[in-house]
Amino acid sequence: MAGRVDSDKVKEKASDNLNDLPTFHAENMQNNAKVMYYSRTFMSIIGGVVAGILGLTGLMGFVFYFLIMGITSVGLAAKAGFSIHSYFDSWNKILLDGFFGGLMSFVLFWTFAYDIVHIF
Amino acid sequence: MGVGFVVGVLGVLILSHAAYSTIQYRALLKITEEEFSGPPINVVVELIAGLMLCMWAALTVPGKFLSILPHSDENRVVALPENLDFMIFNHRGKAIPMGIDAKLK
C-alpha cells in the first residue's frame, strides 16, 4: 500500500497553494538546461568544422557562428513546441543561454578544420 | 536515440567527405596556380546537407524537454513514503481549507 517515495523533489518556495507559479520542478529544469547545453555545444563544433571547410577567415567566421547559434535557438524553440513557459521560466533562457559558451569550441574546431583543409 | 545517432554520424561523414573534396580541389588549384575563392558548388551543397543532418541530430539526440510546471499531469507525486510510522495524519490540519483539487487518474 505504501509505495516507494518518488525520487523527484518539488522544491516549494511558496507556502500558499493559491499563489501564482513561482515554484518549478527543479530536476526537470536542470534536465532541460542540460539538453540545451548539449545541443548548442554540438552545433558549435559542427559549425566550426563547416566554417573551416568553407575557408572563412576573420569577421566572416564570427558572423557564421552567430548565424549558427541563431538557427539553433530557433530549432530549440521549435523543439519546445513554441510553448516556452512549460519548459523554461523565461524567453532569455532559451535564446541566450550558452550563446557564448560555444564560442571557444567553435574557434577551436574552426582553426582545426581550416588547417587540415587549407594548409596541410 | 538510435536513429538520431545514426543521422548524426551520417552528417559527420558527409562533412568529412566534403572536406576531402575541398582538399583535392585545392590541390587542383595549386597545379593551375589559381586563387582559392570558395569551394565548388557541389561541396557547398554537400556542406549544407551535412549541416542540416547534424542539426537534426543535435536537436533530437540529447533528449526530450520535460515539463517544469508543478501541477502538470506528468509531475504528480502520487506515492507515499515508507516511513509512515513517523507521520501523523490526525492533526489540526484538517481544520484548514485546502485549495488543491485532488483528482485521481
Side-chain angles (χ1 to χ4, degrees), chain A residues 3-4 17 21 23-25 28-29 31-32 35 39 42-43 46 53-54 71 75-76 79 86-88 117-118, chain B residues 15 19 22 26 36 39 47 51 54-55 58-59 62-71 75 79-80 82 100:
Chain A
R4 284 195 49 82
N17 283 341
L21 287 178
T23 72
F24 296 112
H25 202 288
N28 285 356
M29 272 182 79
N31 173 70
N32 293 349
V35 165
S39 293
F42 184 64
M43 280 316 297
I46 295 294
I53 295 176
L54 283 174
I71 295 177
L76 284 171
K79 178 177 173 156
S86 55
Y87 299 110
F88 298 96
V117 171
H118 297 282
Chain B
L15 286 182
T22 312
R26 273 197 79 96
F36 177 83
L47 283 176
L51 197 62
C54 287
M55 183 159 315
L59 291 177
K64 291 168 54 62
F65 282 144
L66 299 174
S67 170
I68 61 168
L69 301 172
H71 302 300
N75 283 348
L80 289 175
E82 289 173 345
I100 59 175

